Amino acid sequence: MLFVKRIVIVLTLCGAGLAAYYLVLFARADSLFHENTPSSVKAAVLLVPGNADYHAIHAEYVEEMGLNPDSELALATELSPLESRFWIRRAFRAEVERKFDDSERFLRHAIQVDNGFAPRSALMNYYFRRQNIPEFWKAARSALEMAYGDRAAIFRLCFAVDDNLAATKAILPSGHRPLTQLLLFLLQTERLEDAADIASAVAAEAEPEDLSLLLAYTEIETGKNDASALAVWNALCARRLVPFSPLSPAQGSIVTDGDFDGDLHRGFDWKFGAADGVAISRSYAGGETVELNGKQPESMVLMEQRVPVTAGKTYVISTDCELDGPSADSGLRWFVLKGAADAQQPQEPLASSSSLQGATWHTGQITFTADHDGVDRIRLEYRRAPETVRWSGTLQLRRVSSSAATRHP
């Protein structure tokens, strides 16, 4: 028994010593590998020849020296056959060597061992470079289905192959997120004519995370494709992603947030100007407060809103307000201007109010007739009246509303 125990102890000590030896060996190889020089990586390979990563990096250095790295790359795939990145690297190397059959075979094997995005993207790019268009579309569809992040790089190749949106749309995976990513790509690449159809589909099922993208779409398309911009805006209203009611120019409803309850200030909502001497804020009693301290610019836009209109329709814009300040000309006026954005040349307004005045609440009205289907602007401006000093005081706005003018027989 004593002899057996001694044997066990000896074997245990030998095993521990062997384990310690290999720990030191692997640590040394790892240290050499992370020095990341041609000689240190080669030394790491010699110390631990069973490590696929060592062979893959060694292959890079071998190729940089103008030598053939194929044997090192082959060892990497043999040692770690389920690592698609090694097969992809072999495929790229084979393509450089114009061994196209091998390159395609390696890429397809990478897909067999890896169900992720990377090998599918590599195969798609391979077919793009080879201009094998039928196989490109198959690979692009597969890459789109497996993509877990931004699909812009795939879309860019798709449009390079076929500039027609229908071709890319035909391979788009089902679901909402691919549509939103395609819309973002179309906006980023200024393909606005293509964006309208996609924007409508995104807006129909919009989620809160889509809001910023769709608001950007309405702002970009207003003045270019007004009907689409309005449709997307109304979809956001209907889905309660913005806290407003849908607009209906045919019915006379063209003003958003007439009570100044919201704070979106994007899309068809109010935009406010900013300058020294001007303060615009929400009133505690409801509505909006505009304060001028007499140091404001001689003229400026205080607030503006884009409003959708129907050709031939006459609209009435009503404003409930009061002023607290000098009785002299306030220089505050409402204007209706044609189009969605400032023209290059000075523009005659479609309609304007007289200078706002009155120390008690009163309702003013502006009437105008639209001459196009699209978007116009309503605007509150300050313009210093001739031969007067800059007005100082407070304008309280309780409500801005719209209606269709009543037609008399």
Side-chain angles (χ1 to χ4, degrees):
M1 282 297 292
L2 181 60
F3 176 77
V4 172
K5 288 181 180 180
R6 288 177 177 175
I7 292 295
V8 170
I9 292 171
V10 169
L11 291 175
T12 301
L13 291 174
C14 288
L18 190 62
Y21 168 77
Y22 278 111
L23 283 174
V24 172
L25 179 70
F26 291 147
R28 176 57 180 159
D30 187 64
S31 176
L32 288 167
F33 177 73
H34 283 93
E35 287 181 21
N36 201 21
T37 66
S39 58
S40 68
V41 171
K42 183 177 181 179
V45 168
L46 294 174
L47 284 174
V48 183
N51 189 304
D53 283 316
Y54 294 179
H55 287 283
I57 298 300
H58 187 220
E60 302 297 327
Y61 284 121
V62 168
E63 190 170 22
E64 284 182 6
M65 291 184 287
L67 303 175
N68 191 325
D70 289 348
S71 61
E72 290 297 310
L73 293 173
L75 278 171
T77 55
E78 289 174 14
L79 291 168
S80 191
L82 299 183
E83 289 270 11
S84 64
R85 57 196 173 100
F86 298 139
W87 292 104
I88 294 171
R89 179 65 183 86
R90 285 188 74 182
F92 181 74
R93 168 67 188 172
E95 185 181 358
V96 169
E97 294 292 304
R98 304 188 66 80
K99 300 175 182 177
F100 299 120
D101 289 343
D102 286 344
S103 182
E104 183 178 7
R105 176 167 56 84
F106 291 150
L107 288 172
R108 290 197 171 279
H109 189 81
I111 290 175
Q112 291 177 3
V113 301
D114 184 347
N115 196 38
F117 170 74
R120 284 157 178 78
S121 175
L123 184 63
M124 174 191 67
N125 278 275
Y126 170 79
Y127 286 132
F128 177 81
R129 292 190 296 271
R130 298 297 303 142
Q131 286 297 287
N132 186 337
I133 304 306
E135 291 299 325
F136 167 81
W137 286 115
K138 294 177 186 177
R141 182 193 295 273
S142 179
L144 283 170
E145 289 173 348
M146 296 306 298
Y148 41 79
D150 187 7
R151 293 175 167 89
I154 305 174
F155 295 143
R156 191 169 291 108
L157 290 185
C158 290
F159 281 102
V161 170
D162 189 333
D163 200 49
N164 190 337
L165 172 65
T168 298
K169 193 176 177 183
I171 65 167
L172 204 64
S174 60
H176 185 66
R177 193 52 48 206
L179 277 173
T180 63
Q181 292 185 353
L182 178 55
L183 176 60
L184 176 62
F185 175 81
L186 295 173
L187 295 184
Q188 290 175 335
T189 54
E190 299 183 350
R191 301 179 63 93
L192 300 184
E193 291 184 6
D194 288 335
D197 181 38
I198 303 300
S200 296
V202 172
E205 300 180 2
E207 300 295 338
E209 58 267 27
D210 305 322
L211 180 58
S212 181
L213 173 63
L214 291 170
L215 287 173
Y217 173 80
T218 65
E219 292 166 345
I220 292 170
E221 285 286 52
T222 302
K224 301 179 181 69
N225 189 338
D226 293 330
S228 178
L230 177 61
V232 168
W233 174 262
N234 280 344
L236 294 176
C237 295
R239 293 183 68 80
R240 305 307 299 163
L241 294 178
V242 295
F244 310 120
S245 299
L247 300 173
S248 176
Q251 302 299 318
S253 176
I254 62 174
V255 173
T256 294
D257 193 19
D259 296 321
F260 302 98
D261 290 330
D263 56 4
L264 183 66
H265 309 316
R266 296 195 63 187
F268 285 85
D269 193 16
W270 294 104
K271 310 292 197 320
F272 297 106
D276 291 340
V278 178
I280 302 176
S281 59
R282 184 84 52 81
S283 172
Y284 291 111
E288 204 77 11
T289 299
V290 180
E291 296 181 78
L292 307 178
N293 68 6
K295 297 180 181 179
Q296 69 274 10
E298 292 207 345
S299 65
M300 67 169 295
V301 177
L302 294 168
M303 62 178 64
E304 182 178 271
Q305 183 177 122
R306 295 169 173 177
V307 293
V309 294
T310 298
K313 194 80 174 176
T314 300
Y315 299 95
V316 178
I317 304 296
S318 300
T319 60
D320 295 341
C321 64
E322 71 170 1
L323 273 73
D324 180 13
S327 58
D329 190 330
S330 69
L332 297 167
R333 287 175 174 80
W334 287 98
F335 294 90
V336 179
L337 300 169
K338 182 177 178 178
D342 288 323
Q344 295 295 322
Q345 301 298 326
Q347 185 179 6
E348 282 295 319
L350 298 174
S352 63
S353 71
S354 58
S355 178
L356 301 186
Q357 57 185 345
T360 59
W361 286 104
H362 62 281
T363 300
Q365 292 187 333
I366 314 170
T367 301
F368 73 101
T369 300
D371 64 359
H372 69 125
D373 291 327
V375 171
D376 288 335
R377 288 165 290 145
I378 57 173
R379 169 188 286 184
L380 176 65
E381 290 189 21
Y382 169 75
R383 297 181 183 177
R384 183 181 66 82
E387 301 180 359
T388 67
V389 298
R390 291 179 176 87
W391 188 81
S392 62
T394 301
L395 167 67
Q396 296 284 354
L397 274 171
R398 182 161 55 193
R399 181 172 174 77
V400 178
S401 60
S402 66
S403 61
T406 303
R407 293 185 177 181
H408 298 285

